[in-house]
């Protein structure tokens, strides 16, 4: 889950990382009031997309009147397809240097990594690799002060500025671990005279840890269907075809999509019903797929922890109680397969044994309807 | 020989009295796995199918030699249970649960490394040395002894491949589920290194998917160190960039981890790549004829 910049900065403030004076507002008049207190300000639209600077999502105002005008223009507009309903109004900083700091997780190394660069301010993707300092951290000891001091040395910092950057790095690591962050990025970290200030905040929280992060605000980036799917424990991604797909396991779901494409069809979605989905969950998943009115549905189950008879029972339940108005192709093998096939037979469906035959059939049905 | 698990491996089940834990313990025992003890806090003194249940791993270790453990513990408690098993000195730990916070996975991975424990998962179906010992939730009937080693990021897709191989007359030596999460204990490279040394394994099938760089790293390793034939199957050819396909790692970001890039890296290492599951047995047969 990504946090809006202003939420990230609230988190920074809580941990003592300096951010520019300012606040978040939802109406232009509030921007005027804030600018009246602060002076020259930067006005930043709060959307979960990078590249705000390039697409007009960030502007400067020297007077309260200008701040209100700018706010009025931004609020209610759309940026990269996202509605702007909040803006951050902050003191415009005198910028002497711009640094880059980030903490993230390297899956290949299986370690947290600290990234830093003396070339902050621009998109880090555009910074040449040799100008990025990457340090893999040992989760057994975490980010110790000696590591932070070494980072400041390599960034060419000294004195009070170096000391503040060390302090910020240690606080970042605390947030990273205590708040279950997957990514924590400050770009730029501004050196303004003797002061070091986080001018931006990018924070992504691990979705699997949200259950223990009750203090964090919730940010919704999913479509309504994706949200409904998530609530019943399914992994769902909307696509633009007409063949609805349900399978158990991310890999086999992807393989099902590949097969549909191979036979010339187009999948309407990716839906991984997960390991061990029971009758109720599977029935809800089916209802979700039906709601988008596909031409056909393909269910591809290779039962391990998922039991074939549960899937078949869920299908029977939905068919009898809600009705399934489109043809359904089912492939069923694995745990309790025989009982599952029996249930389907009682409901007038002969399950396939091979997934590519099932996929070919689904594509054929979609083409004919 | 097989790798990681052998006919005499003594297994502990953590979370043995739960719904999944008890169901799959019975499946493992039926397969021939030597499940010697179970742990379920607060249920010490009970038994499941004659298998004694203890309150803690330390208590189980007082009475049994524990070579390996499998966790059915729910995600919020999995880190603690994993530390407990590693601390008790198991050699192989299979961490089954999905949705384990990534920071917990980092902590467990780091501790396992310090203690020299082989960590499988999290978010894995487990490991099986066919006909000898299975530690996991895979459907037993597809895992018959043979000469093909299989290593996979994905669960059901791996069953699919193993099922296709079996239908074509190929059994398996050891099948390893790496796990679908971003941070997991074993990599393709770790398993390839073991299988290269294993006398029972004559060919290796890698089941990969889009996202991350695990397949590309494996390709480099294969080129330099693996003499046995390796076949790869990759899922996600049709996946659009920027959409996370279920697994934490399965996303094409900034052009990295794409299907085409992985195929190129693997082909460069002499590894033929199947785009669809049913193409795998043919490629295996071809590689063994050479």
């Amino acid at each position: 889950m990504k946090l809006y910049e202003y939420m990230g900065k609230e988190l920074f403030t809580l941990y003592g990382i300096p951010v520019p004076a300012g606040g978040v507002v939802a109406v232009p008049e509030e921007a005027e009031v804030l600018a009246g207190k602060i002076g020259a300000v930067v006005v930043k639209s709060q959307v979960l997309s990078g590249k705000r600077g390039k697409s007009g999502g960030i502007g400067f105002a020297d007077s309260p009147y200008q701040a209100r005008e700018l706010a009025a223009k931004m609020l209610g507009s759309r940026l990269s397809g996202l509605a702007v309903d909040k803006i951050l109004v902050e003191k415009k900083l005198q910028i002497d240097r711009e640094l880059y700091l980030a903490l993230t997780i390297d899956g290949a190394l299986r370690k947290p990594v600290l990234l830093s660069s003396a070339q902050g301010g621009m998109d880090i993707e555009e910074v040449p690799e040799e100008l990025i300092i990457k340090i893999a951290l040992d989760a057994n000891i975490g980010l110790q002060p000696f590591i932070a001091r070494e980072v400041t040395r390599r960034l060419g910092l000294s004195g009070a500025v170096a000391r503040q950057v060390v302090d910020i790095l240690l606080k970042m690591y605390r947030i990273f671990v205590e708040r279950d962050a997957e990514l924590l990025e400050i770009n730029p970290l501004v050196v303004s005279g003797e002061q070091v200030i986080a001018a931006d905040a990018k924070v992504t929280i691990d979705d699997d840890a949200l259950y223990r992060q009750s203090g964090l605000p919730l940010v919704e980036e999913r479509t309504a269907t994706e949200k409904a799917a998530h609530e019943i424990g399914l992994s769902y991604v909307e696509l633009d075809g007409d063949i609805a797909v349900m399978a158990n396991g991310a890999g086999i779901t992807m393989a099902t999509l590949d097969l549909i494409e191979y036979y010339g069809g187009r999948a309407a979605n990716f839906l991984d019903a997960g390991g061990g989905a029971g009758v109720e969950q599977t029935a809800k998943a089916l209802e979700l797929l039906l709601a988008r009115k596909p031409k056909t549905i393909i269910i591809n189950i290779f039962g391990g922890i998922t039991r074939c008879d549960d899937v078949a029972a869920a299908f029977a339940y939905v068919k009898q109680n809600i009705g399934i108005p489109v043809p359904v192709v089912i492939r069923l093998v694995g745990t309790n397969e025989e009982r599952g096939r029996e249930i389907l037979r009682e409901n007038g469906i002969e399950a396939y044994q091979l997934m590519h035959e099932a996929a070919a059939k689904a594509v054929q049905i979609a083409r004919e309807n | 020989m097989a790798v990681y698990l052998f006919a005499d491996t003594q297994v502990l089940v953590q979370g043995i009295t739960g719904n999944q834990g008890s169901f799959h313990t019975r499946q493992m025992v039926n397969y021939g796995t030597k499940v010697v003890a179970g742990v379920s806090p607060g249920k010490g003194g009970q038994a499941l199918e004659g298998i004694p249940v203890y309150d803690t791993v330390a208590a189980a270790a007082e009475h049994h030699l524990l070579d390996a453990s499998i966790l059915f513990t729910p995600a919020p408690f999995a880190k603690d249970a994993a530390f407990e098993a590693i601390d008790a000195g198991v050699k192989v730990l299979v961490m089954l649960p999905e949705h384990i916070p990534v920071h917990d996975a980092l902590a467990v991975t780091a501790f396992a490394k310090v203690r020299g424990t082989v960590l499988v998962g999290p978010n894995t179906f487990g490991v099986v040395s066919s006909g000898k010992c299975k530690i996991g939730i895979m459907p037993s009937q597809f895992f018959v002894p043979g000469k093909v080693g299989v290593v996979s990021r994905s669960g059901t897709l791996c069953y699919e491949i193993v099922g296709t191989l079996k239908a074509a007359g190929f059994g398996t030596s050891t099948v390893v589920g790496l796990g679908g999460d971003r941070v997991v204990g074993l990599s393709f490279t770790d398993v390839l290194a073991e299988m290269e040394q294993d006398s029972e394994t004559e060919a290796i099938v890698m089941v990969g998917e889009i996202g991350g760089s695990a397949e590309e790293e494996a390709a480099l390793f294969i080129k330099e160190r693996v003499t046995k034939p390796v076949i790869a199957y990759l899922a996600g050819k049709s996946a659009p960039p920027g959409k996370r396909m279920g697994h934490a790692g399965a996303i094409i970001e900034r052009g990295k981890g794409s299907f085409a890039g992985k195929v190129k890296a693997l082909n460069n290492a002499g590894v033929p790549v199947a785009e669809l599951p049913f193409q795998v047995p043919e490629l295996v047969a071809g590689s063994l004829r050479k």
Side-chain angles (χ1 to χ4, degrees):
Chain A
M1 181 186 76
K2 289 177 185 161
L3 296 187
Y4 288 102
E5 177 192 1
Y6 77 90
M7 293 174 177
K9 284 181 168 166
E10 282 168 7
L11 204 54
F12 284 3
T13 303
L14 208 60
Y15 279 78
I17 296 174
V19 300
V24 65
V25 302
V27 292
E29 290 69 27
E30 291 175 16
E32 185 177 10
V33 173
L34 259 179
K37 290 179 193 161
I38 297 170
V41 291
V42 55
V43 180
K44 303 169 90 176
S45 50
Q46 297 298 290
V47 288
L48 295 174
S49 136
K51 317 220 180 334
R52 283 175 305 177
K54 285 173 193 159
S55 46
I58 296 175
F60 296 92
D62 292 328
S63 69
Y65 172 75
Q66 269 182 13
R68 192 179 76 191
E69 291 288 291
L70 198 53
K73 209 171 77 189
M74 279 183 192
L75 285 165
S77 72
R78 294 188 85 80
L79 209 64
S80 323
L82 303 161
V84 179
D85 50 19
K86 284 199 172 76
I87 51 172
L88 188 59
V89 179
E90 285 185 333
K91 183 177 162 62
K92 188 181 168 191
L93 299 174
Q94 172 215 320
I95 297 174
D96 297 324
R97 282 189 75 174
E98 292 184 303
L99 308 171
Y100 173 91
L101 296 180
L103 285 166
T104 184
I105 290 159
D106 188 318
L109 295 174
R110 298 160 231 170
K111 286 177 173 175
V113 290
L114 191 169
L115 301 170
S116 62
S117 176
Q119 306 288 315
M122 59 168 142
D123 192 343
I124 195 67
E125 300 300 317
E126 291 159 19
V127 176
E129 210 150 305
E130 63 271 19
L131 295 178
I132 299 173
I133 304 162
K134 179 175 172 180
I135 297 178
L137 304 172
D138 183 339
N140 287 312
I141 65 166
L143 176 53
Q144 293 293 327
F146 79 89
I147 301 167
R149 287 196 300 273
E150 172 61 11
V151 170
T152 58
R153 183 188 69 84
R154 287 168 69 176
L155 287 171
L157 307 175
S158 60
V161 169
R163 278 197 299 279
Q164 289 173 73
V165 171
V166 167
D167 184 58
I168 288 169
L169 278 169
L170 298 178
K171 286 169 175 163
M172 280 175 75
Y173 193 75
R174 272 188 59 205
I175 299 175
F176 187 61
V177 174
E178 290 176 14
R179 299 299 169 135
D180 280 302
E182 290 181 333
L183 171 73
L184 206 60
E185 185 183 81
I186 303 179
N187 186 28
L189 182 70
V190 167
V191 180
S192 184
E194 283 287 279
Q195 277 219 306
V196 182
I197 302 158
D200 194 13
K202 207 177 269 175
V203 181
T204 308
I205 307 295
D206 177 8
D207 287 336
D208 286 331
L210 288 176
Y211 74 90
R212 62 185 182 197
Q213 292 298 342
S214 50
L216 287 174
L218 281 178
V219 179
E220 196 50 70
E221 319 170 49
R222 292 170 290 224
T223 67
T225 315
E226 285 171 352
K227 195 177 163 208
H230 185 79
E231 275 164 11
I232 49 175
L234 307 170
S235 172
Y236 176 91
V237 179
E238 234 158 69
L239 301 169
D240 56 7
D242 49 19
I243 302 173
V245 177
M246 175 165 77
N248 63 323
I252 204 166
T253 311
M254 266 189 275
T256 311
L257 302 187
D258 291 349
L259 277 164
I260 288 170
E261 190 188 71
Y262 175 78
Y263 288 114
R266 286 164 69 235
N269 66 280
F270 167 101
L271 192 156
D272 168 13
V279 177
E280 194 186 346
Q281 196 184 13
T282 309
K284 280 183 177 162
L286 261 174
E287 287 174 43
L288 209 72
L289 293 184
L290 283 170
R292 290 194 65 222
K293 304 198 189 320
K295 284 187 178 169
T296 179
I297 299 176
I298 178 169
I299 301 175
N300 182 11
I301 304 296
F302 203 122
I305 202 160
T306 302
R307 302 179 200 179
C308 289
D309 51 334
D310 279 351
V311 175
F315 175 80
Y317 174 85
V318 175
K319 191 175 177 199
Q320 287 158 18
N321 293 283
I322 296 155
I324 299 180
V326 296
V328 179
V329 180
I330 305 184
R331 185 277 182 123
L332 205 60
V333 288
T335 309
N336 296 355
E337 174 181 332
E338 278 318 308
R339 179 74 196 117
R341 287 177 175 275
E342 266 171 48
I343 296 172
L344 288 180
R345 237 172 258 138
E346 287 159 14
N347 284 275
I349 288 214
E350 195 56 47
Y352 282 83
Q353 190 91 38
L354 298 172
M355 73 184 263
H356 64 274
E357 287 179 7
K361 180 69 185 174
V363 171
Q364 188 201 334
I365 292 172
R367 196 172 290 147
E368 285 166 3
N369 288 343
Chain B
M1 262 302 274
V3 301
Y4 300 119
L5 305 183
F6 313 99
D8 60 353
T9 300
Q10 304 215 69
V11 181
L12 171 76
V13 177
Q14 289 173 268
I16 192 167
T17 56
N19 184 23
Q20 298 294 354
S22 55
F23 178 81
H24 287 286
T25 297
R26 289 187 183 97
Q27 301 278 321
M28 286 189 276
V29 169
N30 288 341
Y31 191 76
T33 305
K34 293 194 169 48
V35 179
V36 296
V39 165
S40 205
K43 306 253 168 85
Q46 299 183 5
L48 183 105
E49 306 287 319
I51 301 160
V53 178
Y54 300 89
D55 284 321
T56 65
V57 177
E62 281 175 15
H63 297 92
H64 309 274
L65 180 73
L66 306 173
D67 297 312
S69 182
I70 176 165
L71 285 187
F72 286 96
T73 319
F77 314 105
K79 178 173 80 170
D80 182 37
F83 281 160
E84 189 183 10
I86 295 168
D87 194 50
V90 302
K91 294 194 262 307
V92 177
L93 174 63
V94 175
M95 217 172 160
L96 203 87
E98 55 181 342
H99 299 304
I100 290 180
V102 68
H103 280 275
D104 291 2
L106 284 170
V108 172
T109 311
F111 187 50
K113 188 154 194 199
V114 170
R115 295 297 185 93
T117 307
V118 173
L119 174 69
V120 187
N123 193 9
T124 173
F125 59 88
V127 184
V128 50
S129 287
S130 298
K132 300 185 177 99
C133 175
K134 87 159 188 174
I135 304 189
I137 57 172
M138 54 298 253
S140 302
Q141 67 268 33
F142 300 99
F143 296 82
V144 297
K147 55 193 174 187
V148 182
V150 181
V151 51
S152 174
R153 272 163 80 171
S154 171
T156 36
L157 189 53
C158 184
Y159 311 161
E160 180 72 41
I161 300 295
V162 170
T164 332
L165 284 168
K166 181 179 174 248
F170 291 106
T172 44
S173 52
T174 299
V175 179
V176 181
L178 299 176
D181 284 357
R182 193 138 61 108
V183 173
V184 292
L186 285 181
S187 66
F188 279 119
T189 308
D190 296 327
V191 179
L192 286 164
E194 293 288 329
M195 287 182 173
E196 169 72 4
Q197 300 299 322
D198 174 38
S199 58
E200 269 178 34
T201 303
E202 291 178 25
I204 303 163
V205 174
M206 279 174 60
V207 182
E209 61 193 34
I210 52 152
S213 60
E215 289 80 7
E216 287 85 338
E217 280 147 30
L220 283 176
F221 181 80
I222 292 165
K223 201 170 184 178
E224 288 174 12
R225 304 276 185 84
V226 181
T227 59
K228 291 178 182 174
V230 182
I231 305 299
Y233 162 72
L234 296 175
K237 187 188 183 192
S238 63
K243 299 258 188 189
R244 193 180 289 275
M245 291 303 187
H247 283 161
I251 181 170
I252 301 167
E253 282 177 306
R254 299 163 192 142
K256 284 182 187 162
S258 72
F259 185 86
K262 287 178 191 293
V263 171
K264 194 176 163 202
L266 288 162
N267 284 344
N268 276 343
V271 176
V273 179
E275 292 183 7
L276 301 166
F278 63 82
Q279 298 166 340
V280 172
E282 209 174 301
L283 291 176
V284 170
S287 77
L288 286 171
R289 273 198 299 270
K290 279 179 194 161

